[in-house]
Structure formats: C-alpha cells, structure tokens
C-alpha cells in the first residue's frame, strides 16, 4: 500500500516538474536569447545617443562618488555592464590601485567591452561572462565600494534579488546606482506606437511580456522605487532622477522631442543641462529613473 502511494506521488511530482519546465524554462530561454541577440546589434558605447546618456548617468554617478567621498582606490562592480559604457567612465575616474569588474550574460558584449578597454589602455578593468545574480553571489560580503546596475533591471524579472545581493556585497557607506524603466515611459510607448493593447497590463502589473515579443520586462513608478530602497532594502536613498526626460534614442516615444545625436554640440550641451535639471524635478518623466542609494 505504502509502495503504491509512493509510486503515485512520484508520478504526480514528475508530471508537475515536466509542466514547470515546459511553461517556465523555454520562455526564459527565449527571453535571454533575445536579450543576448540585441547586444550584438546595439552597441551602448558606439551608438551616439547612448554615449550621450552615458554622460548623463556619469554626471550623477560622479557627483555622488565625489560628494560621498568614495575612494578612488576602491573596488567597484558594473553588473550587466554591456560593452562597458559606464565601467570605462569609472575606470578613468579611479586612481592607481582602484579596480572595476564588469559582468554580462552576453559573450559578444563582454568581447567588445574587453576590446574597448584594451584599445584605451585600461588595465584596471576586468570582465566576465556571468549572470548578475551569480556574479554578486560570488563576491564576499562588505567587499565593494560601489555597484552599478544600469538599464538592466527592466529586463531582469528577479531584479529584487540582485539588489539584495548588491547591498550585501557593499561596504557600509558604499553606493548602489541602479536604473529602472518608469511605468509612464511604457505607457507613452504603448500610445505612440499603436500598442495600446498592452496599456492595461502596464497599469495593473509591474512585469510581463510586452510589445508582442519574448522579453519579460519590469517597470515601476519612482514612488515604488523609493519604497523598494527604503523599506525593502533598508538603504538610504540619496536621490532619484530621471535620465532623458525630453529626448530619446531611435524608437523611444521621447525620440519625437529630440535625438541627442542629431544636435550640434552647443544644442546638445544645452539639452544636457535641461535634462539634468528636469531629472530631479520629474523622475518618472525619464527614459529611465536612476536611484542612488547608500548602505
Ligand atoms: C541596455 S544594456 C545596459 C548595459 C550597461 N549597463 C550600460 O548602461 O551601458 C542591458 C545589458 O544587461 C545585460 N543583462 C540582461 N540581463 C542580465 C542578467 N541577468 N545578468 C547580467 N547581464 C544581464 C544585457 O546582456 C545587456 O548587455
């Protein structure tokens, strides 16, 4: 009787496991495949619009590295570093002895990141192909001065676990810079690209497959990001700013307002000054919202 019951239980468990792998894993495989594919066609370092937003992020990142007196000889990580757009800015800021380690799930992005670092003679950066969570789990607690997690949470359904690990690996007083996709941006995108069928999902959920593709996105309001850092993570939120409040890359709803790459240097500088001011006034108006938090 007991043997019969155990066999029946094993059968049920086996069927449940098969169902789980059918519904979960293949869709996540497609999710990662599509993200990795996008990194081979979109270079965050060379695309002129992305370089402009790299400078806008760096305005805020360097401002807080300086005001919080973080060590230029410290140890930093860029999680989901892509081709190294921000890791390289950090590398230049460091003094001898300081290091940046970057990780990304995309082999081609890491290949490009290594090529750029070598071309620029930056020997204080190291890169590895790794998932954000596994990379952080491999770091000792309280070992890093700063962690960047820029434009990765919006394609990382498990971003809350990544942030928890990022906090664990930071030293007391260490800084975490993480950016998120504002809910408002996705609603603007749905409206401007004739994809209003996704609007209800964007209003009522905070993650899901959008735009008829395979990627599971996440999105938030700035108020929710504030709660996440202060209540869930127990970190001190130093600032919350919008990045790209009145401009965008090709395909963004903000593109209709301004494309940084299409402007002359003087106009682009004026746009930068305006977006830096607007960023603090209306974090939800950005293409991304950047949280700056201290452990
Ligand atoms: C929009 S790019 C941003 C790259 C870089 N942080 C920057 O700001 O230039 C997003 C990057 O996140 C990476 N990524 C997505 N999910 C990841 C994960 N779970 N672990 C590590 N990297 C991930 C992608 O491969 C891609 O290179």
């Amino acid at each position: 009787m007991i043997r019969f019951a155990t066999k029946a239980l094993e059968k049920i468990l086996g069927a449940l496991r098969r169902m789980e792998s059918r519904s979960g894993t293949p869709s996540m495989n497609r999710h990662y495949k599509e993200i990795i594919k996008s990194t081979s066609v979109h270079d965050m370092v060379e695309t002129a619009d992305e370089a402009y937003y790299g400078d806008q992020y760096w305005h805020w990142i360097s401002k807080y590295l300086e005001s919080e007196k973080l060590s230029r000889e410290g140890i930093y990580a860029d999680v989901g570093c892509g081709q190294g757009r921000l890791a390289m800015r950090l590398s230049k800021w460091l003094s001898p002895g300081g290091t940046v380690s970057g990780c990304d799930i995309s082999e081609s992005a890491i290949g490009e990141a290594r090529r750029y670092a070598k071309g620029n003679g930056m020997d204080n950066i190291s890169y590895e192909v790794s998932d954000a969570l596994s990379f952080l789990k491999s770091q000792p607690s309280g070992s890093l001065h700063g962690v960047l997690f820029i434009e990765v949470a919006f394609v990382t359904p498990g971003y809350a676990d990544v942030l928890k690990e990022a906090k664990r690996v930071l030293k007391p007083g260490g800084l975490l810079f993480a950016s998120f996709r504002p809910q408002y941006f996705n609603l603007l995108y749905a409206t401007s690209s004739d994809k209003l069928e996704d609007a209800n999902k964007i209003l009522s959920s905070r993650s899901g497959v959008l735009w008829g593709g395979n990627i599971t996105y996440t999105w938030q309001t700035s108020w929710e990001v504030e709660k996440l850092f202060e209540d869930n993570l127990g970190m001190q939120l130093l600032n919350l700013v919008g990045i790209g409040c009145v401009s965008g890359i090709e395909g963004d709803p903000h593109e209709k307002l301004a494309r940084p790459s299409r402007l002359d240097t003087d106009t682009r500088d004026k746009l930068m000054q305006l977006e830096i001011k607007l960023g603090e006034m209306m974090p939800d108006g950005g293409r991304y919202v950047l949280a700056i938090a201290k452990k």
Side-chain angles (χ1 to χ4, degrees):
M1 183 63 189
I2 290 176
R3 206 184 300 154
F4 174 76
T6 311
K7 274 208 157 166
L9 195 62
E10 272 170 6
K11 267 195 168 173
I12 293 167
L13 283 173
L16 281 173
R17 270 186 220 114
R18 279 194 298 280
M19 264 171 63
E20 187 185 47
S21 76
R22 243 178 268 140
S23 63
T25 315
S27 70
M28 281 323 277
N29 280 347
R30 285 198 295 273
H31 167 92
Y32 286 117
K33 251 192 187 164
E34 203 155 311
I35 290 173
I36 289 168
K37 195 170 122 203
S38 74
T39 65
S40 62
V41 291
H42 189 74
D43 187 314
M44 306 287 290
V45 172
E46 277 190 341
T47 308
D49 288 326
E50 298 289 11
Y52 166 87
Y53 297 113
D55 288 341
Q56 201 168 122
Y57 276 114
W58 186 246
H59 164 85
W60 295 110
I61 295 169
S62 58
K63 179 181 159 112
Y64 282 90
L65 291 174
E66 297 286 347
S67 65
E68 293 298 315
K69 300 187 175 32
L70 284 218
S71 171
R72 286 184 186 245
E73 282 124 55
I75 306 170
Y76 295 84
D78 185 359
V79 179
C81 60
Q83 294 85 2
R85 174 175 68 153
L86 291 157
M88 286 196 283
R89 285 168 171 81
L90 192 49
S91 154
K92 277 193 211 147
W93 178 82
L94 292 171
S95 304
T99 58
V100 192
S101 38
C103 81
D104 201 284
I105 44 163
S106 161
E107 249 180 78
S108 73
I110 290 295
E112 286 303 287
R114 286 188 178 129
R115 194 173 64 81
Y116 288 129
K118 197 170 169 200
N120 288 312
M122 295 167 163
D123 54 10
N124 57 0
I125 313 186
S126 61
Y127 289 114
E128 64 181 83
V129 178
S130 170
D131 166 68
L133 195 57
S134 324
F135 172 83
L136 287 169
K137 284 197 168 186
S138 71
Q139 309 292 319
S141 298
S143 59
L144 302 185
H145 293 80
V147 174
L148 310 186
F149 187 53
I150 303 296
E151 298 188 9
V152 189
F154 83 117
V155 287
T156 307
Y159 70 88
D161 293 334
V162 176
L163 293 174
K164 247 187 241 163
E165 277 302 295
K167 182 192 171 190
R168 180 188 65 78
V169 303
L170 279 175
K171 290 175 182 292
L175 294 183
L176 173 54
F177 300 90
S179 70
F180 303 84
R181 189 64 104 182
Q183 179 194 45
Y184 184 59
F185 175 95
N186 279 351
L187 289 171
L188 286 180
Y189 185 82
T191 313
S192 64
S193 58
D194 212 5
K195 290 191 162 64
L196 275 171
E197 64 274 12
D198 281 339
N200 278 339
K201 192 191 278 183
I202 298 166
L203 285 171
S204 58
S205 309
R206 291 297 178 270
S207 74
V209 174
L210 294 176
W211 327 128
N214 291 312
I215 297 179
T216 301
Y217 293 97
T218 77
W219 55 93
Q220 297 77 22
T221 65
S222 62
W223 183 80
E224 289 159 355
V225 174
E226 189 178 326
K227 295 281 143 221
L228 170 69
F229 278 88
E230 290 186 338
D231 300 348
N232 301 10
L233 289 166
M235 293 183 79
Q236 183 191 350
L237 190 65
L238 301 178
N239 211 344
L240 205 51
V241 296
I243 299 290
C245 286
V246 286
S247 69
I249 66 166
E250 189 179 359
D252 278 2
H254 295 48
E255 171 197 11
K256 288 155 191 134
L257 302 170
R259 280 277 299 277
S261 59
R262 301 229 168 115
L263 305 175
D264 60 56
T265 313
D266 187 45
T267 315
R268 198 164 49 241
D269 288 348
K270 288 193 176 102
L271 176 70
M272 183 71 87
Q273 293 316 313
L274 172 63
E275 291 201 307
I276 284 166
K277 287 197 183 106
L278 279 176
E280 282 196 300
M281 289 161 63
M282 44 183 68
D284 288 283
R287 302 177 54 240
Y288 291 93
V289 56
L290 170 67
I292 301 155
K294 181 168 157 178
K295 179 168 170 180

